[in-house]
Amino acid sequence: MVERLKTPKLAEAIAGHLERLILEGVLRPGEKLASERDLAERLDVSRPSLRDALAILETRGLLSTGREGTRVTQFLAGLTDPLAGLLQSNEAVTADYFEYRAAVETTASGLAAIRATEPEREAIRDCLAEMETAHRAEDPTREAEADLVLHRLIYAASHNLVILHVMRAFSEMLRRDIFFNRTSLFAHPAFRDDLLAQHKALGLAVINAEAAAAEEAAHRHLKFTGDSVEKTRRDAERADLALRRLNRSTLLGS
């Protein structure tokens, strides 16, 4: 006798749908969901069923509800926060960070060139335009933010969910200057023009579906950025040492 399949409860089906949207990156960590009433209308479900579904996802650690509403949790924070503390205390790990990014982003960029949809290519095109505008305005904070957005767009366009979530978590650490000060890099006269040219080469290769060129551009960009950060660090160390030597008299007796 064949056992009848049980239809999942509506709340479980709604939870499964929302969970998939989180997995696919449609709903992103930190984002606030629409109000219960609006979300129920958009999903065409009852509010009690939606409420039960949200509770299911809260128990899974994917959503949190407070006075301001329901948000997607930073569900990788349990991994990245302790890791950030470990990495931040060791300057030597910055080179390892860039080595890791080069390995992953070279692949991600090639995949994005092959798999990106037309709306994703258009979003990358818009991001490059924003980056150029920020560059002309000599606004390093704005340009650094456009840099972060560009790389995240490429992660998404790779259509690899592991790359998407892991690299988004790393990019959030980057935003917090765990590895280096991004804004100062875009403000540095010796680097800013090269960084813009490299980002344009990478973005255009993805837009034009040129996988090999995208991989090469990503690798070259990350090698340059890693080398530039290391040069900046060494220059700062030399300046500090020179200052200590010049002020050595303050440590000596008369």
Side-chain angles (χ1 to χ4, degrees):
M1 181 178 178
V2 178
E3 183 180 354
R4 289 187 63 189
L5 295 175
K6 294 181 180 179
T7 303
K9 293 180 180 179
L10 181 56
E12 293 173 348
I14 298 168
H17 176 68
L18 292 173
E19 187 174 56
R20 180 152 191 85
L21 294 180
I22 293 171
L23 175 65
E24 293 173 340
V26 178
L27 298 175
R28 303 171 185 178
E31 289 186 332
K32 181 181 176 182
L33 301 188
S35 69
E36 184 183 285
R37 182 181 64 184
D38 290 343
L39 193 57
E41 288 179 0
R42 291 169 193 175
L43 297 176
D44 194 23
V45 297
S46 69
R47 291 178 67 177
S49 294
L50 175 62
R51 199 174 300 124
D52 289 344
L54 297 180
I56 290 171
L57 294 181
E58 280 197 65
T59 63
R60 296 177 187 173
L62 296 175
L63 295 178
S64 63
T65 300
R67 292 181 180 178
E68 297 181 353
T70 300
R71 292 184 180 275
V72 181
T73 62
Q74 299 285 352
F75 47 85
L76 288 179
L79 168 66
T80 57
D81 286 353
L83 182 61
L86 288 171
L87 298 181
Q88 195 170 30
S89 63
N90 186 349
E91 288 185 351
V93 84
T94 302
D96 292 344
Y97 162 75
F98 279 109
E99 191 175 82
Y100 171 79
R101 274 191 65 187
V104 176
E105 291 201 36
T106 296
T107 298
S109 299
L111 291 175
I114 296 168
R115 298 174 176 175
T117 64
E118 189 51 42
E120 287 170 327
R121 296 181 201 276
E122 188 61 32
I124 291 171
R125 190 178 288 110
D126 290 344
C127 184
L128 291 176
E130 162 64 13
M131 189 175 288
E132 287 194 89
T133 300
H135 188 82
R136 286 194 300 271
E138 297 186 357
D139 186 340
T141 301
R142 186 176 168 189
E143 193 169 0
E145 184 60 26
D147 161 55
L148 197 70
V149 171
L150 176 64
H151 287 282
R152 286 184 168 184
L153 287 171
I154 290 172
Y155 305 150
S158 75
H159 288 268
N160 181 301
L161 296 179
V162 176
I163 288 176
L164 173 65
H165 287 289
V166 172
M167 294 309 293
R168 265 193 184 161
F170 266 95
S171 67
E172 193 57 40
M173 285 197 282
L174 193 63
R175 174 178 269 151
R176 289 155 52 193
D177 292 338
I178 297 298
F179 300 103
F180 64 98
N181 188 304
R182 296 165 49 252
T183 302
S184 65
L185 196 64
F186 283 94
H188 202 299
F191 305 141
R192 59 189 308 271
D193 289 343
D194 285 334
L195 287 170
L196 176 64
Q198 289 162 20
H199 282 126
K200 288 174 64 177
L202 173 57
L204 290 174
V206 172
I207 290 168
N208 295 328
E210 298 171 346
E215 291 175 354
E216 173 60 28
H219 187 271
R220 186 168 58 250
H221 166 57
L222 288 162
K223 174 74 166 58
F224 175 85
T225 306
D227 290 347
S228 299
V229 168
E230 178 61 18
K231 181 181 185 303
T232 302
R233 185 184 68 81
R234 288 179 179 175
D235 288 349
E237 285 182 349
R238 293 187 185 108
D240 287 344
L241 175 57
L243 190 61
R244 289 196 300 274
R245 286 171 175 165
L246 289 171
N247 293 332
R248 60 184 294 274
S249 60
T250 61
L251 303 174
L252 303 175
S254 55

